[in-house]
Amino acid sequence: MTAIRLLLVDDDPLVRAGLSLMMGGAEDIEIVGEAADGAEVEELVDRTRPDVVLMDIRMPSVDGLTATERLRDRKDAPQVVVLTTFHADEQVLRALRAGAAGFVLKDTPPAEIVDAVRRVAVGDPVLSPTVTRQLMEHAAGSGADTRRTHARVRIGTLNDREREVAVAVGRGLSNAEIAATLFMSVATVKTHVSRILAKLDLNNRVQIALLAYDAGLLEESEGNGH
């Protein structure tokens, strides 16, 4: 098995030491570098080629949000998991919109942080539907109408089946669960998800979920009893 290459980014040396110790016990994870500020991230990514970046969101010079945006604009960008102390935080939401694959709280049990790294390395988001909704509601008062209009225009480029899959992704269903719900094969679900990502120029399933929420698709789905 090829080890997951991990870059740690946090301005607190004690946090980095704790994460390093925690990850060092996982045979399938290799820590390839550490950074104390977002300003160091791009150079380290070029040099170490990580699969996953575990990124603190609050740092003194360049914060995790800015660093995430810069990374996700790059070709073959690593997956980013945001480290935070708050569930419902507008900066976390912005990082997810910028392409982070999810977030973990700093007081999350070590085994769950290790699992989060493993999951995003294979393309699974680290974000429950409940937490997604908490985040969306936290920022709902800021530009919600504009976001909804924009999201509906983008969602309008999807065909009916792709729209159904987008709603299912927004509800937090796995590929197997979507396949069972929509009566299609898992391979077909994966194809639809890939097409949605390409059509909407998105990085991952978290962004599909957020866009579906912005467009009001989840509310409509619940109203229809789904």
Side-chain angles (χ1 to χ4, degrees):
M1 177 185 292
T2 302
I4 299 165
R5 298 173 63 80
L6 177 66
L7 175 63
L8 302 177
V9 186
D10 196 295
D11 64 322
D12 187 335
L14 291 179
V15 172
R16 292 201 311 275
L19 289 171
S20 182
L21 183 65
M22 184 190 310
M23 298 297 172
E27 294 182 357
D28 58 336
I29 296 175
E30 176 189 1
I31 298 172
V32 295
E34 296 183 14
D37 192 84
E40 305 169 33
V41 171
E42 288 190 278
E43 187 274 331
L44 271 174
V45 166
D46 285 337
R47 183 152 50 87
T48 63
R49 300 294 178 185
D51 301 303
V52 179
V53 179
L54 200 52
M55 181 94 73
D56 186 20
I57 204 155
R58 289 179 173 83
M59 291 178 284
S61 178
V62 175
D63 62 25
L65 169 63
T66 302
T68 298
E69 290 173 337
R70 290 175 179 175
L71 281 183
R72 296 309 308 180
D73 282 340
R74 297 159 57 104
K75 185 180 180 181
D76 299 325
Q79 297 292 342
V80 176
V81 179
V82 172
L83 279 169
T84 182
T85 54
F86 302 102
H87 275 102
D89 184 283
E90 190 167 354
Q91 284 188 301
V92 175
L93 182 61
R94 288 175 62 197
L96 295 173
R97 291 188 189 284
F103 75 91
V104 292
L105 298 177
K106 289 192 176 182
D107 60 359
T108 298
E112 292 182 24
I113 296 180
V114 172
D115 181 61
V117 170
R118 289 174 175 148
R119 286 170 58 190
V120 300
V122 296
D124 292 333
V126 185
L127 197 64
S128 72
T130 301
V131 173
T132 303
R133 179 150 303 191
Q134 288 174 350
L135 283 165
M136 294 301 300
E137 289 173 352
H138 175 75
S142 177
D145 291 341
T146 301
R147 283 202 311 272
R148 174 150 298 192
T149 300
H150 181 62
R152 284 187 174 276
V153 170
R154 297 182 71 190
I155 288 291
T157 64
L158 304 180
N159 62 38
D160 290 345
R161 206 55 164 160
E162 290 165 347
R163 184 185 175 104
E164 289 177 329
V165 171
V167 170
V169 170
R171 290 171 54 206
L173 301 186
S174 67
N175 285 342
E177 290 168 334
I178 295 172
T181 301
L182 299 181
F183 306 103
M184 61 177 71
S185 69
V186 172
T188 301
V189 173
K190 290 180 179 178
T191 298
H192 281 308
V193 171
S194 295
R195 286 176 179 167
I196 293 167
L197 292 171
K199 277 189 176 182
L200 301 180
D201 192 26
L202 301 176
N203 293 309
N204 54 49
R205 294 168 74 102
V206 172
Q207 288 186 317
I208 294 176
L210 292 173
L211 191 64
Y213 188 99
D214 281 348
L217 298 187
L218 303 189
E219 296 169 20
E220 293 173 6
S221 174
E222 290 171 359
N224 292 331
H226 297 300

PDB file of all heavy atoms in Angstrom, residues 40-70:
ATOM      1  N   GLU A  40       3.689  29.589   3.720  1.00  0.00           N
ATOM      2  CA  GLU A  40       4.693  28.572   3.400  1.00  0.00           C
ATOM      3  C   GLU A  40       4.122  27.410   2.594  1.00  0.00           C
ATOM      4  O   GLU A  40       4.874  26.571   2.094  1.00  0.00           O
ATOM      5  CB  GLU A  40       5.288  28.013   4.704  1.00  0.00           C
ATOM      6  CG  GLU A  40       5.862  29.043   5.652  1.00  0.00           C
ATOM      7  CD  GLU A  40       6.176  28.439   7.017  1.00  0.00           C
ATOM      8  OE1 GLU A  40       6.549  27.255   7.071  1.00  0.00           O
ATOM      9  OE2 GLU A  40       6.039  29.151   8.033  1.00  0.00           O
ATOM     10  N   VAL A  41       2.797  27.357   2.478  1.00  0.00           N
ATOM     11  CA  VAL A  41       2.144  26.157   1.982  1.00  0.00           C
ATOM     12  C   VAL A  41       2.465  25.841   0.528  1.00  0.00           C
ATOM     13  O   VAL A  41       2.816  24.699   0.186  1.00  0.00           O
ATOM     14  CB  VAL A  41       0.617  26.257   2.187  1.00  0.00           C
ATOM     15  CG1 VAL A  41      -0.099  25.112   1.467  1.00  0.00           C
ATOM     16  CG2 VAL A  41       0.291  26.228   3.665  1.00  0.00           C
ATOM     17  N   GLU A  42       2.349  26.828  -0.350  1.00  0.00           N
ATOM     18  CA  GLU A  42       2.537  26.525  -1.774  1.00  0.00           C
ATOM     19  C   GLU A  42       3.931  25.997  -2.081  1.00  0.00           C
ATOM     20  O   GLU A  42       4.089  25.042  -2.846  1.00  0.00           O
ATOM     21  CB  GLU A  42       2.237  27.772  -2.610  1.00  0.00           C
ATOM     22  CG  GLU A  42       0.751  28.110  -2.664  1.00  0.00           C
ATOM     23  CD  GLU A  42       0.452  29.196  -3.678  1.00  0.00           C
ATOM     24  OE1 GLU A  42       0.627  30.379  -3.326  1.00  0.00           O
ATOM     25  OE2 GLU A  42       0.070  28.864  -4.814  1.00  0.00           O
ATOM     26  N   GLU A  43       4.942  26.610  -1.472  1.00  0.00           N
ATOM     27  CA  GLU A  43       6.316  26.143  -1.703  1.00  0.00           C
ATOM     28  C   GLU A  43       6.498  24.724  -1.179  1.00  0.00           C
ATOM     29  O   GLU A  43       7.131  23.886  -1.823  1.00  0.00           O
ATOM     30  CB  GLU A  43       7.303  27.105  -1.024  1.00  0.00           C
ATOM     31  CG  GLU A  43       8.770  26.817  -1.328  1.00  0.00           C
ATOM     32  CD  GLU A  43       9.385  25.792  -0.395  1.00  0.00           C
ATOM     33  OE1 GLU A  43       8.936  25.700   0.766  1.00  0.00           O
ATOM     34  OE2 GLU A  43      10.315  25.063  -0.828  1.00  0.00           O
ATOM     35  N   LEU A  44       5.914  24.444  -0.007  1.00  0.00           N
ATOM     36  CA  LEU A  44       6.023  23.100   0.566  1.00  0.00           C
ATOM     37  C   LEU A  44       5.271  22.070  -0.269  1.00  0.00           C
ATOM     38  O   LEU A  44       5.723  20.940  -0.428  1.00  0.00           O
ATOM     39  CB  LEU A  44       5.488  23.096   1.998  1.00  0.00           C
ATOM     40  CG  LEU A  44       6.494  23.408   3.103  1.00  0.00           C
ATOM     41  CD1 LEU A  44       5.789  23.521   4.449  1.00  0.00           C
ATOM     42  CD2 LEU A  44       7.579  22.343   3.162  1.00  0.00           C
ATOM     43  N   VAL A  45       4.120  22.453  -0.800  1.00  0.00           N
ATOM     44  CA  VAL A  45       3.365  21.542  -1.660  1.00  0.00           C
ATOM     45  C   VAL A  45       4.174  21.208  -2.915  1.00  0.00           C
ATOM     46  O   VAL A  45       4.216  20.055  -3.352  1.00  0.00           O
ATOM     47  CB  VAL A  45       1.989  22.146  -2.025  1.00  0.00           C
ATOM     48  CG1 VAL A  45       1.347  21.385  -3.189  1.00  0.00           C
ATOM     49  CG2 VAL A  45       1.069  22.125  -0.818  1.00  0.00           C
ATOM     50  N   ASP A  46       4.814  22.219  -3.503  1.00  0.00           N
ATOM     51  CA  ASP A  46       5.663  21.979  -4.674  1.00  0.00           C
ATOM     52  C   ASP A  46       6.793  21.005  -4.351  1.00  0.00           C
ATOM     53  O   ASP A  46       7.153  20.162  -5.169  1.00  0.00           O
ATOM     54  CB  ASP A  46       6.262  23.303  -5.168  1.00  0.00           C
ATOM     55  CG  ASP A  46       5.248  24.170  -5.893  1.00  0.00           C
ATOM     56  OD1 ASP A  46       4.241  23.621  -6.390  1.00  0.00           O
ATOM     57  OD2 ASP A  46       5.449  25.402  -5.958  1.00  0.00           O
ATOM     58  N   ARG A  47       7.325  21.144  -3.155  1.00  0.00           N
ATOM     59  CA  ARG A  47       8.507  20.359  -2.778  1.00  0.00           C
ATOM     60  C   ARG A  47       8.156  18.956  -2.291  1.00  0.00           C
ATOM     61  O   ARG A  47       8.894  18.005  -2.561  1.00  0.00           O
ATOM     62  CB  ARG A  47       9.289  21.117  -1.706  1.00  0.00           C
ATOM     63  CG  ARG A  47      10.583  20.451  -1.256  1.00  0.00           C
ATOM     64  CD  ARG A  47      11.598  21.478  -0.771  1.00  0.00           C
ATOM     65  NE  ARG A  47      11.029  22.404   0.188  1.00  0.00           N
ATOM     66  CZ  ARG A  47      10.975  22.184   1.507  1.00  0.00           C
ATOM     67  NH1 ARG A  47      11.427  21.053   2.004  1.00  0.00           N
ATOM     68  NH2 ARG A  47      10.476  23.104   2.318  1.00  0.00           N
ATOM     69  N   THR A  48       7.035  18.822  -1.575  1.00  0.00           N
ATOM     70  CA  THR A  48       6.737  17.537  -0.931  1.00  0.00           C
ATOM     71  C   THR A  48       5.624  16.736  -1.594  1.00  0.00           C
ATOM     72  O   THR A  48       5.458  15.558  -1.313  1.00  0.00           O
ATOM     73  CB  THR A  48       6.359  17.760   0.544  1.00  0.00           C
ATOM     74  OG1 THR A  48       5.146  18.541   0.619  1.00  0.00           O
ATOM     75  CG2 THR A  48       7.475  18.501   1.282  1.00  0.00           C
ATOM     76  N   ARG A  49       4.822  17.379  -2.450  1.00  0.00           N
ATOM     77  CA  ARG A  49       3.741  16.712  -3.180  1.00  0.00           C
ATOM     78  C   ARG A  49       2.822  15.901  -2.251  1.00  0.00           C
ATOM     79  O   ARG A  49       2.666  14.690  -2.425  1.00  0.00           O
ATOM     80  CB  ARG A  49       4.316  15.792  -4.267  1.00  0.00           C
ATOM     81  CG  ARG A  49       5.156  16.492  -5.298  1.00  0.00           C
ATOM     82  CD  ARG A  49       4.333  17.443  -6.117  1.00  0.00           C
ATOM     83  NE  ARG A  49       5.117  18.182  -7.110  1.00  0.00           N
ATOM     84  CZ  ARG A  49       4.638  19.137  -7.874  1.00  0.00           C
ATOM     85  NH1 ARG A  49       3.371  19.494  -7.764  1.00  0.00           N
ATOM     86  NH2 ARG A  49       5.400  19.770  -8.743  1.00  0.00           N
ATOM     87  N   PRO A  50       2.178  16.555  -1.285  1.00  0.00           N
ATOM     88  CA  PRO A  50       1.283  15.818  -0.389  1.00  0.00           C
ATOM     89  C   PRO A  50      -0.024  15.424  -1.072  1.00  0.00           C
ATOM     90  O   PRO A  50      -0.458  16.063  -2.031  1.00  0.00           O
ATOM     91  CB  PRO A  50       1.022  16.829   0.735  1.00  0.00           C
ATOM     92  CG  PRO A  50       1.107  18.157   0.044  1.00  0.00           C
ATOM     93  CD  PRO A  50       2.205  18.001  -0.977  1.00  0.00           C
ATOM     94  N   ASP A  51      -0.651  14.381  -0.551  1.00  0.00           N
ATOM     95  CA  ASP A  51      -1.991  14.000  -0.999  1.00  0.00           C
ATOM     96  C   ASP A  51      -3.046  14.794  -0.242  1.00  0.00           C
ATOM     97  O   ASP A  51      -4.107  15.107  -0.783  1.00  0.00           O
ATOM     98  CB  ASP A  51      -2.227  12.502  -0.754  1.00  0.00           C
ATOM     99  CG  ASP A  51      -1.218  11.634  -1.478  1.00  0.00           C
ATOM    100  OD1 ASP A  51      -1.122  11.749  -2.712  1.00  0.00           O
ATOM    101  OD2 ASP A  51      -0.525  10.844  -0.805  1.00  0.00           O
ATOM    102  N   VAL A  52      -2.734  15.080   1.034  1.00  0.00           N
ATOM    103  CA  VAL A  52      -3.675  15.767   1.914  1.00  0.00           C
ATOM    104  C   VAL A  52      -2.944  16.842   2.707  1.00  0.00           C
ATOM    105  O   VAL A  52      -1.806  16.640   3.133  1.00  0.00           O
ATOM    106  CB  VAL A  52      -4.345  14.780   2.905  1.00  0.00           C
ATOM    107  CG1 VAL A  52      -5.310  15.514   3.842  1.00  0.00           C
ATOM    108  CG2 VAL A  52      -5.077  13.671   2.153  1.00  0.00           C
ATOM    109  N   VAL A  53      -3.601  17.984   2.891  1.00  0.00           N
ATOM    110  CA  VAL A  53      -3.081  19.053   3.751  1.00  0.00           C
ATOM    111  C   VAL A  53      -4.047  19.225   4.909  1.00  0.00           C
ATOM    112  O   VAL A  53      -5.244  19.439   4.704  1.00  0.00           O
ATOM    113  CB  VAL A  53      -2.934  20.384   2.992  1.00  0.00           C
ATOM    114  CG1 VAL A  53      -2.423  21.477   3.938  1.00  0.00           C
ATOM    115  CG2 VAL A  53      -1.986  20.228   1.809  1.00  0.00           C
ATOM    116  N   LEU A  54      -3.541  19.094   6.125  1.00  0.00           N
ATOM    117  CA  LEU A  54      -4.333  19.354   7.327  1.00  0.00           C
ATOM    118  C   LEU A  54      -4.040  20.790   7.727  1.00  0.00           C
ATOM    119  O   LEU A  54      -2.930  21.115   8.154  1.00  0.00           O
ATOM    120  CB  LEU A  54      -3.931  18.368   8.426  1.00  0.00           C
ATOM    121  CG  LEU A  54      -4.895  18.128   9.585  1.00  0.00           C
ATOM    122  CD1 LEU A  54      -6.288  17.767   9.090  1.00  0.00           C
ATOM    123  CD2 LEU A  54      -4.360  17.025  10.490  1.00  0.00           C
ATOM    124  N   MET A  55      -5.023  21.684   7.550  1.00  0.00           N
ATOM    125  CA  MET A  55      -4.789  23.129   7.536  1.00  0.00           C
ATOM    126  C   MET A  55      -5.505  23.862   8.666  1.00  0.00           C
ATOM    127  O   MET A  55      -6.743  23.853   8.740  1.00  0.00           O
ATOM    128  CB  MET A  55      -5.273  23.677   6.184  1.00  0.00           C
ATOM    129  CG  MET A  55      -5.093  25.172   5.991  1.00  0.00           C
ATOM    130  SD  MET A  55      -3.563  25.572   5.144  1.00  0.00           S
ATOM    131  CE  MET A  55      -3.963  25.040   3.463  1.00  0.00           C
ATOM    132  N   ASP A  56      -4.740  24.520   9.526  1.00  0.00           N
ATOM    133  CA  ASP A  56      -5.320  25.404  10.533  1.00  0.00           C
ATOM    134  C   ASP A  56      -5.978  26.579   9.812  1.00  0.00           C
ATOM    135  O   ASP A  56      -5.473  27.055   8.785  1.00  0.00           O
ATOM    136  CB  ASP A  56      -4.225  25.905  11.471  1.00  0.00           C
ATOM    137  CG  ASP A  56      -4.776  26.727  12.630  1.00  0.00           C
ATOM    138  OD1 ASP A  56      -5.970  26.609  12.927  1.00  0.00           O
ATOM    139  OD2 ASP A  56      -3.992  27.486  13.233  1.00  0.00           O
ATOM    140  N   ILE A  57      -7.097  27.062  10.344  1.00  0.00           N
ATOM    141  CA  ILE A  57      -7.789  28.144   9.634  1.00  0.00           C
ATOM    142  C   ILE A  57      -7.339  29.525  10.083  1.00  0.00           C
ATOM    143  O   ILE A  57      -7.450  30.492   9.349  1.00  0.00           O
ATOM    144  CB  ILE A  57      -9.316  27.981   9.782  1.00  0.00           C
ATOM    145  CG1 ILE A  57     -10.030  28.672   8.617  1.00  0.00           C
ATOM    146  CG2 ILE A  57      -9.816  28.497  11.120  1.00  0.00           C
ATOM    147  CD1 ILE A  57     -11.373  28.127   8.300  1.00  0.00           C
ATOM    148  N   ARG A  58      -6.843  29.639  11.306  1.00  0.00           N
ATOM    149  CA  ARG A  58      -6.419  30.948  11.812  1.00  0.00           C
ATOM    150  C   ARG A  58      -4.909  30.949  12.027  1.00  0.00           C
ATOM    151  O   ARG A  58      -4.395  30.272  12.918  1.00  0.00           O
ATOM    152  CB  ARG A  58      -7.140  31.272  13.117  1.00  0.00           C
ATOM    153  CG  ARG A  58      -8.615  31.576  12.923  1.00  0.00           C
ATOM    154  CD  ARG A  58      -9.311  31.874  14.243  1.00  0.00           C
ATOM    155  NE  ARG A  58     -10.682  32.324  14.029  1.00  0.00           N
ATOM    156  CZ  ARG A  58     -11.712  31.514  13.838  1.00  0.00           C
ATOM    157  NH1 ARG A  58     -11.519  30.203  13.839  1.00  0.00           N
ATOM    158  NH2 ARG A  58     -12.918  31.988  13.642  1.00  0.00           N
ATOM    159  N   MET A  59      -4.232  31.722  11.188  1.00  0.00           N
ATOM    160  CA  MET A  59      -2.778  31.864  11.292  1.00  0.00           C
ATOM    161  C   MET A  59      -2.421  33.327  11.085  1.00  0.00           C
ATOM    162  O   MET A  59      -3.161  34.069  10.426  1.00  0.00           O
ATOM    163  CB  MET A  59      -2.087  30.952  10.274  1.00  0.00           C
ATOM    164  CG  MET A  59      -2.238  29.466  10.607  1.00  0.00           C
ATOM    165  SD  MET A  59      -1.482  28.349   9.398  1.00  0.00           S
ATOM    166  CE  MET A  59      -2.677  28.439   8.057  1.00  0.00           C
ATOM    167  N   PRO A  60      -1.292  33.788  11.624  1.00  0.00           N
ATOM    168  CA  PRO A  60      -1.011  35.222  11.698  1.00  0.00           C
ATOM    169  C   PRO A  60      -0.764  35.945  10.383  1.00  0.00           C
ATOM    170  O   PRO A  60      -1.202  37.079  10.200  1.00  0.00           O
ATOM    171  CB  PRO A  60       0.237  35.281  12.592  1.00  0.00           C
ATOM    172  CG  PRO A  60       0.863  33.926  12.468  1.00  0.00           C
ATOM    173  CD  PRO A  60      -0.273  32.986  12.310  1.00  0.00           C
ATOM    174  N   SER A  61      -0.096  35.323   9.435  1.00  0.00           N
ATOM    175  CA  SER A  61       0.260  36.021   8.192  1.00  0.00           C
ATOM    176  C   SER A  61      -0.751  35.699   7.089  1.00  0.00           C
ATOM    177  O   SER A  61      -1.551  36.535   6.695  1.00  0.00           O
ATOM    178  CB  SER A  61       1.674  35.637   7.760  1.00  0.00           C
ATOM    179  OG  SER A  61       2.009  36.268   6.543  1.00  0.00           O
ATOM    180  N   VAL A  62      -0.694  34.476   6.588  1.00  0.00           N
ATOM    181  CA  VAL A  62      -1.665  34.009   5.588  1.00  0.00           C
ATOM    182  C   VAL A  62      -2.523  32.933   6.252  1.00  0.00           C
ATOM    183  O   VAL A  62      -1.991  31.906   6.690  1.00  0.00           O
ATOM    184  CB  VAL A  62      -0.955  33.447   4.337  1.00  0.00           C
ATOM    185  CG1 VAL A  62      -1.979  32.851   3.370  1.00  0.00           C
ATOM    186  CG2 VAL A  62      -0.150  34.540   3.648  1.00  0.00           C
ATOM    187  N   ASP A  63      -3.828  33.170   6.349  1.00  0.00           N
ATOM    188  CA  ASP A  63      -4.692  32.219   7.055  1.00  0.00           C
ATOM    189  C   ASP A  63      -5.012  31.000   6.187  1.00  0.00           C
ATOM    190  O   ASP A  63      -4.684  30.943   4.997  1.00  0.00           O
ATOM    191  CB  ASP A  63      -5.968  32.899   7.545  1.00  0.00           C
ATOM    192  CG  ASP A  63      -6.834  33.450   6.409  1.00  0.00           C
ATOM    193  OD1 ASP A  63      -6.744  32.937   5.279  1.00  0.00           O
ATOM    194  OD2 ASP A  63      -7.607  34.385   6.659  1.00  0.00           O
ATOM    195  N   GLY A  64      -5.662  30.026   6.821  1.00  0.00           N
ATOM    196  CA  GLY A  64      -5.966  28.779   6.127  1.00  0.00           C
ATOM    197  C   GLY A  64      -6.943  28.945   4.987  1.00  0.00           C
ATOM    198  O   GLY A  64      -6.894  28.202   4.009  1.00  0.00           O
ATOM    199  N   LEU A  65      -7.838  29.911   5.100  1.00  0.00           N
ATOM    200  CA  LEU A  65      -8.787  30.174   4.021  1.00  0.00           C
ATOM    201  C   LEU A  65      -8.063  30.606   2.753  1.00  0.00           C
ATOM    202  O   LEU A  65      -8.273  30.050   1.670  1.00  0.00           O
ATOM    203  CB  LEU A  65      -9.778  31.250   4.451  1.00  0.00           C
ATOM    204  CG  LEU A  65     -10.677  31.822   3.359  1.00  0.00           C
ATOM    205  CD1 LEU A  65     -11.575  30.748   2.778  1.00  0.00           C
ATOM    206  CD2 LEU A  65     -11.507  32.982   3.894  1.00  0.00           C
ATOM    207  N   THR A  66      -7.194  31.599   2.895  1.00  0.00           N
ATOM    208  CA  THR A  66      -6.444  32.101   1.734  1.00  0.00           C
ATOM    209  C   THR A  66      -5.555  31.009   1.157  1.00  0.00           C
ATOM    210  O   THR A  66      -5.479  30.831  -0.070  1.00  0.00           O
ATOM    211  CB  THR A  66      -5.588  33.313   2.138  1.00  0.00           C
ATOM    212  OG1 THR A  66      -6.445  34.328   2.670  1.00  0.00           O
ATOM    213  CG2 THR A  66      -4.827  33.869   0.945  1.00  0.00           C
ATOM    214  N   ALA A  67      -4.893  30.270   2.032  1.00  0.00           N
ATOM    215  CA  ALA A  67      -4.014  29.190   1.567  1.00  0.00           C
ATOM    216  C   ALA A  67      -4.802  28.118   0.832  1.00  0.00           C
ATOM    217  O   ALA A  67      -4.339  27.577  -0.183  1.00  0.00           O
ATOM    218  CB  ALA A  67      -3.258  28.584   2.755  1.00  0.00           C
ATOM    219  N   THR A  68      -5.998  27.807   1.324  1.00  0.00           N
ATOM    220  CA  THR A  68      -6.850  26.808   0.655  1.00  0.00           C
ATOM    221  C   THR A  68      -7.272  27.299  -0.725  1.00  0.00           C
ATOM    222  O   THR A  68      -7.219  26.549  -1.707  1.00  0.00           O
ATOM    223  CB  THR A  68      -8.099  26.517   1.506  1.00  0.00           C
ATOM    224  OG1 THR A  68      -7.703  25.957   2.760  1.00  0.00           O
ATOM    225  CG2 THR A  68      -9.032  25.542   0.798  1.00  0.00           C
ATOM    226  N   GLU A  69      -7.691  28.554  -0.816  1.00  0.00           N
ATOM    227  CA  GLU A  69      -8.094  29.114  -2.111  1.00  0.00           C
ATOM    228  C   GLU A  69      -6.943  29.050  -3.106  1.00  0.00           C
ATOM    229  O   GLU A  69      -7.135  28.719  -4.280  1.00  0.00           O
ATOM    230  CB  GLU A  69      -8.570  30.548  -1.926  1.00  0.00           C
ATOM    231  CG  GLU A  69      -9.905  30.655  -1.196  1.00  0.00           C
ATOM    232  CD  GLU A  69     -10.274  32.091  -0.878  1.00  0.00           C
ATOM    233  OE1 GLU A  69      -9.361  32.950  -0.803  1.00  0.00           O
ATOM    234  OE2 GLU A  69     -11.478  32.363  -0.682  1.00  0.00           O
ATOM    235  N   ARG A  70      -5.745  29.377  -2.650  1.00  0.00           N
ATOM    236  CA  ARG A  70      -4.582  29.346  -3.537  1.00  0.00           C
ATOM    237  C   ARG A  70      -4.288  27.926  -4.003  1.00  0.00           C
ATOM    238  O   ARG A  70      -3.977  27.696  -5.188  1.00  0.00           O
ATOM    239  CB  ARG A  70      -3.364  29.927  -2.816  1.00  0.00           C
ATOM    240  CG  ARG A  70      -3.440  31.432  -2.579  1.00  0.00           C
ATOM    241  CD  ARG A  70      -2.257  31.909  -1.759  1.00  0.00           C
ATOM    242  NE  ARG A  70      -2.296  33.361  -1.533  1.00  0.00           N
ATOM    243  CZ  ARG A  70      -1.430  34.006  -0.763  1.00  0.00           C
ATOM    244  NH1 ARG A  70      -0.455  33.349  -0.140  1.00  0.00           N
ATOM    245  NH2 ARG A  70      -1.536  35.316  -0.609  1.00  0.00           N
TER     246      ARG A  70
END
